[in-house]
Amino acid sequence: VVSSAQKWSFQNDTLNEQERQVVLQIYSVEKCIEKSPTDTTCFQYLKPALRNAYYLNFYKAIAAIYNVKGSVYFQRSDWEYAINCFEMSIRAAHFINAKSERCEMIMHSLVDLAEVYNYNGDYVTALEYRMKALQYEDSLKVSASQRLNLYVSIANDFRHLNQQSKAIEYLKV
């Protein structure tokens, strides 16, 4: 699970002052989390950011905030909260107007959900989420390393499910 600052950027967005403040709050929380990845006390700073993002209908920020929270819960092995946060991120992302940003946000949260299930040994569900993410990945211009990570993870899920021929198929792509 990678922090939202590493997944997507708000730098190219045309933001008003209120939206810029929300983004700054998100980044400051991520800096706090970098120092202590399992410490949820940083979440107190996300509350005003989330409240402001909802007030502004700033869905990209809402999705990013839930993804940040999900990442921390993932690091803490708090699976139920991680799942809830990643699902909330996906729900919010569906309201993002720009198709490429919407797809990117959904794809990353699907991959993060897959990781939760993978860590818990539910390879069938992990694979389902990765295959959904793959549909979004195909429509985006993702980096070669992102594409490789997704295909290797899919192959690994197939390997865990004793479907070696399918695993090899995804490694050949």
Side-chain angles (χ1 to χ4, degrees):
V1 178
V2 180
S3 80
S4 63
Q6 295 170 333
K7 290 181 191 174
W8 50 79
S9 172
F10 290 93
Q11 293 173 0
N12 297 330
D13 293 357
T14 305
L15 304 176
N16 65 38
E17 185 57 34
Q18 292 172 310
E19 292 169 334
R20 264 194 295 280
Q21 290 303 315
V22 171
V23 171
L24 289 173
Q25 289 169 318
I26 295 169
Y27 286 150
S28 66
V29 169
E30 287 191 324
K31 293 296 179 193
C32 176
I33 290 169
E34 283 176 12
K35 293 176 186 170
S36 181
T38 59
D39 186 1
T40 58
T41 58
C42 298
F43 286 1
Q44 65 183 318
Y45 305 111
L46 281 179
K47 287 179 184 177
L50 189 58
R51 184 177 54 247
N52 292 336
Y54 272 113
Y55 176 76
L56 298 167
N57 293 323
F58 190 10
Y59 294 107
K60 184 176 179 181
I62 294 167
I65 290 167
Y66 280 116
N67 194 278
V68 168
K69 288 179 76 170
S71 297
V72 172
Y73 287 127
F74 179 90
Q75 295 298 324
R76 294 180 59 169
S77 301
D78 198 337
W79 309 120
E80 187 176 334
Y81 280 115
I83 289 168
N84 287 336
C85 287
F86 293 136
E87 287 175 346
M88 291 294 289
S89 178
I90 292 168
R91 278 189 219 118
H94 280 289
F95 292 99
I96 297 171
N97 288 328
K99 183 181 179 184
S100 63
E101 291 178 354
R102 179 176 57 247
C103 290
E104 181 181 16
M105 196 74 71
I106 291 169
M107 183 195 75
H108 286 296
S109 291
L110 286 168
V111 168
D112 290 339
L113 269 171
E115 283 302 306
V116 172
Y117 287 101
N118 179 278
Y119 269 74
N120 285 281
D122 185 349
Y123 304 112
V124 171
T125 306
L127 183 60
E128 288 172 6
Y129 281 115
R130 288 191 217 283
M131 296 306 273
K132 287 179 185 177
L134 189 60
Q135 293 171 359
Y136 287 96
E137 185 265 350
D138 287 340
S139 67
L140 296 169
K141 294 179 181 175
V142 299
S143 70
S145 66
Q146 284 179 310
R147 185 180 306 271
L148 178 64
N149 286 339
L150 184 56
Y151 278 87
V152 168
S153 295
I154 290 170
N156 196 38
D157 290 336
F158 277 121
R159 182 184 61 82
H160 283 294
L161 295 169
N162 293 318
Q163 296 182 29
Q164 278 68 20
S165 62
K166 290 292 265 185
I168 291 169
E169 182 181 320
Y170 276 88
L171 290 174
K172 287 182 177 180
V173 176

